[in-house]
């Protein structure tokens, strides 16, 4: 198969880029794979990419590149296809709409995959007849605002398949978006085996990683760690990542006199060397839908303490076996679970070994095999069904349009009461 990923920005090192690169590398063993980056800001990717995977871009924003892409007047006009409620909307414009549409009209791929909701909307609406149209949920439906869910409900019925990271999120999409004829499948994110030896559990570091946003609830973690330090002042916490909550977290650390125990390390990648230094991984998020960071920690042999929030951790961490699950938003419960693992070296070692063994399900070859089987089945079904693929497109367009009309009417009557 010729498989094409449409990625917001292939030159960074975020969770979606890491997972996409890992999956593309594994698929390229048996298939013709490309990654198409909508935007390009840098000369070279921050991540390693198998040379068998083609990488190209649609819009070049580098300072030394030809000025046309950066100075076109269409950049000043807002995007019309990319949803306005999508968090990345500010980086899209009429110019990106035009470039993406041209790419999707010309693509020779058998399978086109959108790696974030706004790009999946483009794929659903603009891909030429022929390729499978696939969306890959990079977060979870519950993480999207009401207006974005409306936009997805109007576009997603045109897809052939939607891939989520967890079974819970797959059920949420089926229940709330109603996607007749769309195959919704849960497949975990691809995370390669670390190139370093697993953590040996002897360090006295608790490690967390991810964007410093409100949803990640690092404020809960910092407050929990104050209780940890009160009993075990020999332990430290490192938080990797950047984001808008950094000033507030720094102030909270100073307020609680934790400046010698809690360290905001900034962005780092790859993280496997940092996980390997730790003894316990922790994720305090209200929602952890894709679980890429947790999967990376488990692959490095770290037991994980995570909040039992919807759409993620409960399918990644087995309570009492590979880590501990605690209620979301409860510093005391989080502190108790951390202290339990900190105080039980044998138990921590046992959980770390179990985490490493269970992490095989994230192996890129296994994840790629599940994707390839899904795509192959859908392509075979289309080839054997004559006009069914075209009829699905027509039906999806009609259903999506009906949903959009119905939701717009409801919004007008109820003051934007939505899905």
């Amino acid at each position: 198969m010729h498989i094409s990923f449409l990625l917001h920005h292939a030159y960074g090192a975020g969770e979606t880029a890491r997972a996409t690169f890992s999956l593309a590398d594994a698929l390229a063993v048996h298939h013709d794979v490309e990654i198409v980056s909508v935007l390009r800001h840098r000369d070279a990717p921050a991540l390693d990419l198998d040379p068998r995977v083609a990488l190209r871009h649609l819009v070049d924003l580098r300072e030394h590149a030809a000025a046309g892409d950066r100075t076109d007047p269409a950049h000043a006009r807002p995007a019309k296809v990319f949803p306005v409620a999508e968090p990345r909307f500010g980086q899209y414009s009429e110019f990106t709409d035009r470039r993406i549409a041209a790419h999707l009209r010309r693509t020779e791929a058998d399978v086109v995959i959108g790696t974030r909701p706004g790009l999946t909307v483009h794929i659903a609406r603009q891909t030429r007849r022929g390729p499978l149209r696939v969306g890959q949920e990079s977060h979870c439906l519950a993480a999207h605002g009401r207006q974005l869910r409306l936009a997805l409900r109007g576009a997603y019925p045109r897809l052939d398949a939607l891939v989520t990271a967890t079974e819970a999120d797959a059920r949420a999409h089926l229940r709330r978006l109603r996607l007749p004829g769309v195959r919704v499948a849960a497949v975990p994110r691809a995370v390669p085996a670390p190139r370093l030896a697993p953590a040996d559990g002897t360090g006295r570091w608790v490690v967390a990683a991810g964007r410093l946003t409100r949803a990640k609830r690092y404020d809960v973690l910092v407050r929990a760690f104050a209780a940890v330090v009160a009993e075990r002042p020999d332990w430290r916490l490192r938080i990797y990542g950047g984001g808008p909550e950094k000033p507030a977290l720094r102030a909270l650390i100073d307020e609680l006199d934790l400046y010698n125990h809690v360290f905001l390390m900034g962005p780092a990648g790859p993280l496997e060397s940092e996980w390997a230094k730790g003894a316990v991984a922790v994720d305090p998020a209200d929602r952890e839908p894709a679980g890429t960071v947790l999967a990376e920690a488990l692959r490095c042999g770290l037991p994980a303490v995570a909040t039992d929030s919807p759409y993620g951790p409960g399918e990644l961490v087995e309570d009492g076996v590979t880590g501990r699950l605690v209620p979301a938003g409860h510093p005391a419960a989080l502190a108790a679970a951390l202290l339990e693992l900190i105080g039980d070296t044998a138990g921590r070692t046992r959980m770390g070994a179990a985490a490493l063994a269970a992490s095989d399900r994230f192996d890129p070859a296994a994840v790629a095999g599940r994707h390839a089987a899904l795509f192959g089945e859908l392509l075979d079904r289309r080839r054997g069904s004559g006009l069914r693929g075209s009829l699905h497109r027509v039906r999806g367009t009609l259903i999506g349009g009906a949903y959009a009309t119905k939701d717009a009417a409801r919004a007008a009557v109820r003051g934007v009461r939505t899905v």
Side-chain angles (χ1 to χ4, degrees), residues 137-144 149 164-176 186-189 283 285-292 294 307-317 325:
E137 179 54 70
S138 55
H139 295 288
C140 69
L141 185 62
H144 304 323
R149 292 200 298 269
T164 66
T166 64
E167 295 285 353
D169 194 34
R171 291 192 296 269
H173 277 84
L174 288 169
R175 184 179 67 253
R176 303 184 72 176
V187 183
R189 293 290 178 260
D283 188 342
D286 282 340
R287 291 185 296 264
E288 191 54 78
T292 306
L294 272 177
T307 53
D308 193 13
S309 54
Y311 309 112
E315 296 182 32
L316 299 174
V317 178
L325 294 171

mmCIF file of all heavy atoms in Angstrom, residues 137-144 149 164-176 186-189 283 285-292 294 307-317 325:
data_model
loop_
_atom_site.group_PDB
_atom_site.id
_atom_site.type_symbol
_atom_site.label_atom_id
_atom_site.label_comp_id
_atom_site.label_asym_id
_atom_site.label_seq_id
_atom_site.Cartn_x
_atom_site.Cartn_y
_atom_site.Cartn_z
ATOM 1 N N GLU A 137 -7.197 10.025 15.857
ATOM 2 C CA GLU A 137 -7.469 10.942 16.965
ATOM 3 C C GLU A 137 -6.223 11.104 17.822
ATOM 4 O O GLU A 137 -5.730 10.148 18.422
ATOM 5 C CB GLU A 137 -8.628 10.410 17.811
ATOM 6 C CG GLU A 137 -8.977 11.268 19.007
ATOM 7 C CD GLU A 137 -9.244 12.724 18.641
ATOM 8 O OE1 GLU A 137 -10.274 12.996 18.017
ATOM 9 O OE2 GLU A 137 -8.391 13.571 18.984
ATOM 10 N N SER A 138 -5.702 12.321 17.863
ATOM 11 C CA SER A 138 -4.471 12.571 18.604
ATOM 12 C C SER A 138 -4.731 12.850 20.079
ATOM 13 O O SER A 138 -3.806 12.802 20.890
ATOM 14 C CB SER A 138 -3.714 13.753 17.988
ATOM 15 O OG SER A 138 -4.544 14.909 17.925
ATOM 16 N N HIS A 139 -5.969 13.146 20.434
ATOM 17 C CA HIS A 139 -6.317 13.372 21.846
ATOM 18 C C HIS A 139 -7.503 12.480 22.184
ATOM 19 O O HIS A 139 -7.383 11.273 22.203
ATOM 20 C CB HIS A 139 -6.609 14.852 22.079
ATOM 21 C CG HIS A 139 -5.413 15.717 21.884
ATOM 22 N ND1 HIS A 139 -4.363 15.731 22.770
ATOM 23 C CD2 HIS A 139 -5.070 16.585 20.886
ATOM 24 C CE1 HIS A 139 -3.427 16.564 22.348
ATOM 25 N NE2 HIS A 139 -3.829 17.093 21.197
ATOM 26 N N CYS A 140 -8.623 13.055 22.492
ATOM 27 C CA CYS A 140 -9.846 12.279 22.673
ATOM 28 C C CYS A 140 -11.022 13.216 22.457
ATOM 29 O O CYS A 140 -10.880 14.440 22.527
ATOM 30 C CB CYS A 140 -9.916 11.642 24.064
ATOM 31 S SG CYS A 140 -10.149 12.777 25.431
ATOM 32 N N LEU A 141 -12.173 12.637 22.176
ATOM 33 C CA LEU A 141 -13.332 13.462 21.852
ATOM 34 C C LEU A 141 -13.675 14.405 22.998
ATOM 35 O O LEU A 141 -14.038 15.566 22.778
ATOM 36 C CB LEU A 141 -14.524 12.565 21.521
ATOM 37 C CG LEU A 141 -15.782 13.284 21.037
ATOM 38 C CD1 LEU A 141 -15.508 14.020 19.733
ATOM 39 C CD2 LEU A 141 -16.926 12.288 20.848
ATOM 40 N N ALA A 142 -13.565 13.931 24.231
ATOM 41 C CA ALA A 142 -13.924 14.755 25.384
ATOM 42 C C ALA A 142 -13.006 15.961 25.550
ATOM 43 O O ALA A 142 -13.374 16.941 26.198
ATOM 44 C CB ALA A 142 -13.910 13.915 26.657
ATOM 45 N N ALA A 143 -11.815 15.904 24.955
ATOM 46 C CA ALA A 143 -10.879 17.026 25.068
ATOM 47 C C ALA A 143 -11.231 18.164 24.123
ATOM 48 O O ALA A 143 -10.699 19.269 24.260
ATOM 49 C CB ALA A 143 -9.455 16.548 24.782
ATOM 50 N N HIS A 144 -12.120 17.916 23.157
ATOM 51 C CA HIS A 144 -12.476 18.940 22.189
ATOM 52 C C HIS A 144 -13.660 19.760 22.696
ATOM 53 O O HIS A 144 -14.586 19.236 23.314
ATOM 54 C CB HIS A 144 -12.854 18.300 20.853
ATOM 55 C CG HIS A 144 -11.787 17.404 20.298
ATOM 56 N ND1 HIS A 144 -10.446 17.686 20.426
ATOM 57 C CD2 HIS A 144 -11.862 16.229 19.598
ATOM 58 C CE1 HIS A 144 -9.748 16.729 19.844
ATOM 59 N NE2 HIS A 144 -10.580 15.844 19.340
ATOM 60 N N ARG A 149 -16.495 19.727 18.214
ATOM 61 C CA ARG A 149 -17.246 18.481 18.066
ATOM 62 C C ARG A 149 -18.336 18.621 17.007
ATOM 63 O O ARG A 149 -18.617 17.690 16.247
ATOM 64 C CB ARG A 149 -17.851 18.054 19.407
ATOM 65 C CG ARG A 149 -16.806 17.636 20.435
ATOM 66 C CD ARG A 149 -17.401 16.788 21.542
ATOM 67 N NE ARG A 149 -18.415 17.469 22.311
ATOM 68 C CZ ARG A 149 -18.190 18.181 23.410
ATOM 69 N NH1 ARG A 149 -16.933 18.332 23.850
ATOM 70 N NH2 ARG A 149 -19.171 18.746 24.080
ATOM 71 N N THR A 164 -8.705 5.525 17.141
ATOM 72 C CA THR A 164 -8.507 6.153 18.443
ATOM 73 C C THR A 164 -7.452 5.378 19.214
ATOM 74 O O THR A 164 -7.114 4.242 18.865
ATOM 75 C CB THR A 164 -9.815 6.167 19.257
ATOM 76 O OG1 THR A 164 -10.182 4.812 19.574
ATOM 77 C CG2 THR A 164 -10.943 6.826 18.480
ATOM 78 N N ALA A 165 -6.940 5.977 20.285
ATOM 79 C CA ALA A 165 -5.891 5.320 21.063
ATOM 80 C C ALA A 165 -6.447 4.352 22.092
ATOM 81 O O ALA A 165 -5.728 3.465 22.557
ATOM 82 C CB ALA A 165 -5.018 6.366 21.756
ATOM 83 N N THR A 166 -7.707 4.520 22.486
ATOM 84 C CA THR A 166 -8.284 3.657 23.509
ATOM 85 C C THR A 166 -9.686 3.207 23.116
ATOM 86 O O THR A 166 -10.364 3.866 22.327
ATOM 87 C CB THR A 166 -8.378 4.386 24.867
ATOM 88 O OG1 THR A 166 -9.286 5.489 24.747
ATOM 89 C CG2 THR A 166 -7.012 4.892 25.324
ATOM 90 N N GLU A 167 -10.105 2.102 23.704
ATOM 91 C CA GLU A 167 -11.458 1.586 23.472
ATOM 92 C C GLU A 167 -12.497 2.570 23.996
ATOM 93 O O GLU A 167 -13.554 2.754 23.387
ATOM 94 C CB GLU A 167 -11.618 0.232 24.158
ATOM 95 C CG GLU A 167 -10.734 -0.876 23.598
ATOM 96 C CD GLU A 167 -11.221 -1.395 22.262
ATOM 97 O OE1 GLU A 167 -12.316 -0.989 21.821
ATOM 98 O OE2 GLU A 167 -10.504 -2.219 21.658
ATOM 99 N N ALA A 168 -12.204 3.199 25.137
ATOM 100 C CA ALA A 168 -13.165 4.144 25.714
ATOM 101 C C ALA A 168 -13.423 5.309 24.779
ATOM 102 O O ALA A 168 -14.572 5.765 24.623
ATOM 103 C CB ALA A 168 -12.656 4.645 27.064
ATOM 104 N N ASP A 169 -12.376 5.801 24.118
ATOM 105 C CA ASP A 169 -12.570 6.921 23.202
ATOM 106 C C ASP A 169 -13.275 6.472 21.933
ATOM 107 O O ASP A 169 -14.058 7.226 21.351
ATOM 108 C CB ASP A 169 -11.215 7.564 22.869
ATOM 109 C CG ASP A 169 -11.366 8.921 22.211
ATOM 110 O OD1 ASP A 169 -12.324 9.642 22.551
ATOM 111 O OD2 ASP A 169 -10.542 9.256 21.348
ATOM 112 N N ALA A 170 -13.026 5.240 21.488
ATOM 113 C CA ALA A 170 -13.758 4.717 20.331
ATOM 114 C C ALA A 170 -15.253 4.674 20.624
ATOM 115 O O ALA A 170 -16.081 5.080 19.796
ATOM 116 C CB ALA A 170 -13.245 3.321 19.976
ATOM 117 N N ARG A 171 -15.607 4.207 21.824
ATOM 118 C CA ARG A 171 -17.027 4.154 22.195
ATOM 119 C C ARG A 171 -17.623 5.555 22.262
ATOM 120 O O ARG A 171 -18.772 5.776 21.869
ATOM 121 C CB ARG A 171 -17.188 3.441 23.538
ATOM 122 C CG ARG A 171 -16.888 1.944 23.482
ATOM 123 C CD ARG A 171 -17.335 1.251 24.747
ATOM 124 N NE ARG A 171 -16.602 1.710 25.925
ATOM 125 C CZ ARG A 171 -15.478 1.145 26.362
ATOM 126 N NH1 ARG A 171 -14.937 0.105 25.723
ATOM 127 N NH2 ARG A 171 -14.867 1.607 27.449
ATOM 128 N N ALA A 172 -16.846 6.520 22.756
ATOM 129 C CA ALA A 172 -17.341 7.896 22.851
ATOM 130 C C ALA A 172 -17.637 8.469 21.468
ATOM 131 O O ALA A 172 -18.654 9.146 21.260
ATOM 132 C CB ALA A 172 -16.332 8.770 23.582
ATOM 133 N N HIS A 173 -16.772 8.216 20.509
ATOM 134 C CA HIS A 173 -17.009 8.709 19.144
ATOM 135 C C HIS A 173 -18.267 8.084 18.540
ATOM 136 O O HIS A 173 -19.073 8.774 17.903
ATOM 137 C CB HIS A 173 -15.799 8.414 18.250
ATOM 138 C CG HIS A 173 -14.707 9.413 18.366
ATOM 139 N ND1 HIS A 173 -13.741 9.366 19.359
ATOM 140 C CD2 HIS A 173 -14.411 10.520 17.628
ATOM 141 C CE1 HIS A 173 -12.905 10.373 19.210
ATOM 142 N NE2 HIS A 173 -13.287 11.099 18.168
ATOM 143 N N LEU A 174 -18.434 6.792 18.740
ATOM 144 C CA LEU A 174 -19.614 6.134 18.194
ATOM 145 C C LEU A 174 -20.890 6.632 18.861
ATOM 146 O O LEU A 174 -21.927 6.804 18.212
ATOM 147 C CB LEU A 174 -19.488 4.618 18.379
ATOM 148 C CG LEU A 174 -18.462 3.932 17.461
ATOM 149 C CD1 LEU A 174 -18.234 2.506 17.917
ATOM 150 C CD2 LEU A 174 -18.931 3.968 16.017
ATOM 151 N N ARG A 175 -20.818 6.871 20.148
ATOM 152 C CA ARG A 175 -22.008 7.295 20.891
ATOM 153 C C ARG A 175 -22.374 8.742 20.606
ATOM 154 O O ARG A 175 -23.554 9.067 20.428
ATOM 155 C CB ARG A 175 -21.754 7.104 22.389
ATOM 156 C CG ARG A 175 -22.967 7.416 23.278
ATOM 157 C CD ARG A 175 -22.666 7.179 24.749
ATOM 158 N NE ARG A 175 -21.684 8.111 25.281
ATOM 159 C CZ ARG A 175 -20.443 7.799 25.582
ATOM 160 N NH1 ARG A 175 -19.991 6.561 25.386
ATOM 161 N NH2 ARG A 175 -19.605 8.703 26.063
ATOM 162 N N ARG A 176 -21.396 9.617 20.518
ATOM 163 C CA ARG A 176 -21.690 11.037 20.464
ATOM 164 C C ARG A 176 -21.681 11.616 19.057
ATOM 165 O O ARG A 176 -22.347 12.615 18.800
ATOM 166 C CB ARG A 176 -20.711 11.803 21.360
ATOM 167 C CG ARG A 176 -20.734 11.318 22.801
ATOM 168 C CD ARG A 176 -19.843 12.134 23.702
ATOM 169 N NE ARG A 176 -20.391 13.451 23.944
ATOM 170 C CZ ARG A 176 -19.832 14.335 24.778
ATOM 171 N NH1 ARG A 176 -18.707 14.024 25.404
ATOM 172 N NH2 ARG A 176 -20.378 15.514 24.953
ATOM 173 N N ALA A 186 -9.826 1.003 17.855
ATOM 174 C CA ALA A 186 -8.897 1.452 18.891
ATOM 175 C C ALA A 186 -7.565 0.731 18.708
ATOM 176 O O ALA A 186 -7.510 -0.500 18.753
ATOM 177 C CB ALA A 186 -9.472 1.173 20.272
ATOM 178 N N VAL A 187 -6.501 1.499 18.485
ATOM 179 C CA VAL A 187 -5.157 0.947 18.321
ATOM 180 C C VAL A 187 -4.218 1.830 19.130
ATOM 181 O O VAL A 187 -4.220 3.055 18.959
ATOM 182 C CB VAL A 187 -4.712 0.939 16.841
ATOM 183 C CG1 VAL A 187 -3.340 0.289 16.705
ATOM 184 C CG2 VAL A 187 -5.730 0.211 15.968
ATOM 185 N N PRO A 188 -3.400 1.266 20.021
ATOM 186 C CA PRO A 188 -2.518 2.108 20.838
ATOM 187 C C PRO A 188 -1.476 2.824 20.001
ATOM 188 O O PRO A 188 -1.182 2.435 18.867
ATOM 189 C CB PRO A 188 -1.867 1.113 21.810
ATOM 190 C CG PRO A 188 -1.969 -0.202 21.126
ATOM 191 C CD PRO A 188 -3.246 -0.154 20.329
ATOM 192 N N ARG A 189 -0.921 3.874 20.553
ATOM 193 C CA ARG A 189 0.130 4.614 19.874
ATOM 194 C C ARG A 189 1.405 3.774 19.777
ATOM 195 O O ARG A 189 1.718 2.986 20.668
ATOM 196 C CB ARG A 189 0.442 5.918 20.623
ATOM 197 C CG ARG A 189 -0.694 6.912 20.592
ATOM 198 C CD ARG A 189 -0.873 7.490 19.195
ATOM 199 N NE ARG A 189 -1.989 8.418 19.151
ATOM 200 C CZ ARG A 189 -3.200 8.128 18.697
ATOM 201 N NH1 ARG A 189 -3.453 6.911 18.247
ATOM 202 N NH2 ARG A 189 -4.153 9.020 18.686
ATOM 203 N N ASP A 283 1.608 10.693 36.186
ATOM 204 C CA ASP A 283 0.786 11.467 35.262
ATOM 205 C C ASP A 283 -0.476 11.896 35.998
ATOM 206 O O ASP A 283 -1.353 11.080 36.258
ATOM 207 C CB ASP A 283 0.418 10.638 34.036
ATOM 208 C CG ASP A 283 -0.265 11.456 32.954
ATOM 209 O OD1 ASP A 283 -0.754 12.554 33.270
ATOM 210 O OD2 ASP A 283 -0.307 10.998 31.800
ATOM 211 N N ALA A 285 -2.877 14.001 34.969
ATOM 212 C CA ALA A 285 -3.796 14.693 34.066
ATOM 213 C C ALA A 285 -5.257 14.356 34.329
ATOM 214 O O ALA A 285 -5.600 13.240 34.723
ATOM 215 C CB ALA A 285 -3.456 14.360 32.614
ATOM 216 N N ASP A 286 -6.119 15.350 34.096
ATOM 217 C CA ASP A 286 -7.556 15.115 34.121
ATOM 218 C C ASP A 286 -7.979 14.182 32.993
ATOM 219 O O ASP A 286 -8.928 13.416 33.124
ATOM 220 C CB ASP A 286 -8.324 16.440 33.967
ATOM 221 C CG ASP A 286 -8.353 17.236 35.253
ATOM 222 O OD1 ASP A 286 -8.138 16.646 36.329
ATOM 223 O OD2 ASP A 286 -8.587 18.465 35.188
ATOM 224 N N ARG A 287 -7.273 14.289 31.868
ATOM 225 C CA ARG A 287 -7.509 13.425 30.715
ATOM 226 C C ARG A 287 -6.161 13.059 30.118
ATOM 227 O O ARG A 287 -5.303 13.915 29.961
ATOM 228 C CB ARG A 287 -8.344 14.130 29.630
ATOM 229 C CG ARG A 287 -9.773 14.387 29.995
ATOM 230 C CD ARG A 287 -10.524 14.966 28.800
ATOM 231 N NE ARG A 287 -10.006 16.264 28.422
ATOM 232 C CZ ARG A 287 -10.535 17.428 28.819
ATOM 233 N NH1 ARG A 287 -11.598 17.432 29.583
ATOM 234 N NH2 ARG A 287 -10.011 18.570 28.426
ATOM 235 N N GLU A 288 -5.963 11.782 29.823
ATOM 236 C CA GLU A 288 -4.734 11.362 29.163
ATOM 237 C C GLU A 288 -5.117 10.409 28.040
ATOM 238 O O GLU A 288 -4.988 9.195 28.140
ATOM 239 C CB GLU A 288 -3.807 10.666 30.158
ATOM 240 C CG GLU A 288 -2.400 10.433 29.635
ATOM 241 C CD GLU A 288 -1.752 11.692 29.127
ATOM 242 O OE1 GLU A 288 -1.293 12.501 29.941
ATOM 243 O OE2 GLU A 288 -1.722 11.886 27.894
ATOM 244 N N PRO A 289 -5.659 10.959 26.949
ATOM 245 C CA PRO A 289 -6.307 10.121 25.947
ATOM 246 C C PRO A 289 -5.378 9.219 25.147
ATOM 247 O O PRO A 289 -5.646 8.038 25.002
ATOM 248 C CB PRO A 289 -6.996 11.137 25.053
ATOM 249 C CG PRO A 289 -6.207 12.396 25.238
ATOM 250 C CD PRO A 289 -5.727 12.379 26.647
ATOM 251 N N ALA A 290 -4.307 9.764 24.603
ATOM 252 C CA ALA A 290 -3.438 8.955 23.760
ATOM 253 C C ALA A 290 -2.444 8.154 24.588
ATOM 254 O O ALA A 290 -2.059 7.053 24.226
ATOM 255 C CB ALA A 290 -2.704 9.838 22.755
ATOM 256 N N GLY A 291 -2.007 8.722 25.699
ATOM 257 C CA GLY A 291 -1.133 7.988 26.610
ATOM 258 C C GLY A 291 0.258 7.740 26.095
ATOM 259 O O GLY A 291 0.941 6.831 26.570
ATOM 260 N N THR A 292 0.719 8.553 25.126
ATOM 261 C CA THR A 292 2.049 8.317 24.572
ATOM 262 C C THR A 292 3.129 8.439 25.628
ATOM 263 O O THR A 292 4.050 7.613 25.695
ATOM 264 C CB THR A 292 2.325 9.308 23.423
ATOM 265 O OG1 THR A 292 1.277 9.219 22.458
ATOM 266 C CG2 THR A 292 3.655 9.005 22.754
ATOM 267 N N LEU A 294 2.857 8.061 28.947
ATOM 268 C CA LEU A 294 2.786 6.915 29.850
ATOM 269 C C LEU A 294 3.375 5.670 29.198
ATOM 270 O O LEU A 294 4.100 4.897 29.839
ATOM 271 C CB LEU A 294 1.339 6.644 30.253
ATOM 272 C CG LEU A 294 0.791 7.377 31.477
ATOM 273 C CD1 LEU A 294 -0.679 7.033 31.672
ATOM 274 C CD2 LEU A 294 1.587 7.020 32.725
ATOM 275 N N THR A 307 -3.659 9.223 37.254
ATOM 276 C CA THR A 307 -5.049 9.440 37.645
ATOM 277 C C THR A 307 -5.956 8.552 36.799
ATOM 278 O O THR A 307 -5.727 8.371 35.604
ATOM 279 C CB THR A 307 -5.439 10.911 37.473
ATOM 280 O OG1 THR A 307 -5.132 11.329 36.138
ATOM 281 C CG2 THR A 307 -4.688 11.788 38.451
ATOM 282 N N ASP A 308 -6.964 8.004 37.435
ATOM 283 C CA ASP A 308 -7.888 7.115 36.743
ATOM 284 C C ASP A 308 -8.922 7.959 35.998
ATOM 285 O O ASP A 308 -10.125 7.870 36.236
ATOM 286 C CB ASP A 308 -8.570 6.189 37.750
ATOM 287 C CG ASP A 308 -9.293 5.039 37.056
ATOM 288 O OD1 ASP A 308 -9.055 4.833 35.856
ATOM 289 O OD2 ASP A 308 -10.092 4.360 37.724
ATOM 290 N N SER A 309 -8.415 8.770 35.085
ATOM 291 C CA SER A 309 -9.265 9.683 34.323
ATOM 292 C C SER A 309 -9.811 8.971 33.098
ATOM 293 O O SER A 309 -9.304 7.926 32.697
ATOM 294 C CB SER A 309 -8.462 10.918 33.904
ATOM 295 O OG SER A 309 -7.291 10.544 33.205
ATOM 296 N N PRO A 310 -10.848 9.523 32.487
ATOM 297 C CA PRO A 310 -11.459 8.848 31.338
ATOM 298 C C PRO A 310 -10.522 8.769 30.140
ATOM 299 O O PRO A 310 -9.614 9.582 29.979
ATOM 300 C CB PRO A 310 -12.672 9.742 31.012
ATOM 301 C CG PRO A 310 -12.906 10.555 32.233
ATOM 302 C CD PRO A 310 -11.562 10.747 32.869
ATOM 303 N N TYR A 311 -10.750 7.762 29.317
ATOM 304 C CA TYR A 311 -10.189 7.655 27.974
ATOM 305 C C TYR A 311 -8.713 7.316 27.913
ATOM 306 O O TYR A 311 -8.094 7.471 26.893
ATOM 307 C CB TYR A 311 -10.434 8.942 27.173
ATOM 308 C CG TYR A 311 -11.864 9.377 27.196
ATOM 309 C CD1 TYR A 311 -12.255 10.536 27.853
ATOM 310 C CD2 TYR A 311 -12.845 8.601 26.601
ATOM 311 C CE1 TYR A 311 -13.586 10.918 27.891
ATOM 312 C CE2 TYR A 311 -14.177 8.971 26.644
ATOM 313 C CZ TYR A 311 -14.536 10.131 27.290
ATOM 314 O OH TYR A 311 -15.851 10.503 27.332
ATOM 315 N N GLY A 312 -8.082 6.850 28.985
ATOM 316 C CA GLY A 312 -6.671 6.554 28.811
ATOM 317 C C GLY A 312 -6.030 5.662 29.849
ATOM 318 O O GLY A 312 -5.826 4.468 29.619
ATOM 319 N N PRO A 313 -5.674 6.218 31.013
ATOM 320 C CA PRO A 313 -4.807 5.494 31.950
ATOM 321 C C PRO A 313 -5.302 4.116 32.361
ATOM 322 O O PRO A 313 -4.498 3.196 32.525
ATOM 323 C CB PRO A 313 -4.749 6.444 33.148
ATOM 324 C CG PRO A 313 -4.937 7.786 32.559
ATOM 325 C CD PRO A 313 -5.922 7.594 31.446
ATOM 326 N N GLY A 314 -6.603 3.945 32.533
ATOM 327 C CA GLY A 314 -7.119 2.648 32.938
ATOM 328 C C GLY A 314 -6.847 1.546 31.931
ATOM 329 O O GLY A 314 -6.859 0.359 32.287
ATOM 330 N N GLU A 315 -6.611 1.916 30.663
ATOM 331 C CA GLU A 315 -6.270 0.931 29.641
ATOM 332 C C GLU A 315 -4.762 0.787 29.459
ATOM 333 O O GLU A 315 -4.300 -0.082 28.726
ATOM 334 C CB GLU A 315 -6.914 1.303 28.305
ATOM 335 C CG GLU A 315 -8.439 1.266 28.341
ATOM 336 C CD GLU A 315 -9.071 1.582 27.000
ATOM 337 O OE1 GLU A 315 -8.474 1.244 25.965
ATOM 338 O OE2 GLU A 315 -10.164 2.185 26.987
ATOM 339 N N LEU A 316 -3.995 1.651 30.150
ATOM 340 C CA LEU A 316 -2.542 1.616 30.024
ATOM 341 C C LEU A 316 -1.864 1.080 31.278
ATOM 342 O O LEU A 316 -0.859 0.368 31.198
ATOM 343 C CB LEU A 316 -2.010 3.024 29.731
ATOM 344 C CG LEU A 316 -2.497 3.685 28.445
ATOM 345 C CD1 LEU A 316 -1.997 5.114 28.364
ATOM 346 C CD2 LEU A 316 -2.030 2.904 27.231
ATOM 347 N N VAL A 317 -2.390 1.444 32.445
ATOM 348 C CA VAL A 317 -1.794 1.069 33.724
ATOM 349 C C VAL A 317 -2.733 0.101 34.434
ATOM 350 O O VAL A 317 -3.899 0.419 34.662
ATOM 351 C CB VAL A 317 -1.547 2.310 34.605
ATOM 352 C CG1 VAL A 317 -0.980 1.898 35.961
ATOM 353 C CG2 VAL A 317 -0.611 3.291 33.907
ATOM 354 N N LEU A 325 -3.433 3.516 40.111
ATOM 355 C CA LEU A 325 -4.407 4.476 39.595
ATOM 356 C C LEU A 325 -5.075 5.167 40.776
ATOM 357 O O LEU A 325 -5.453 4.511 41.760
ATOM 358 C CB LEU A 325 -5.458 3.776 38.740
ATOM 359 C CG LEU A 325 -4.965 3.149 37.438
ATOM 360 C CD1 LEU A 325 -6.064 2.307 36.793
ATOM 361 C CD2 LEU A 325 -4.487 4.224 36.467
#
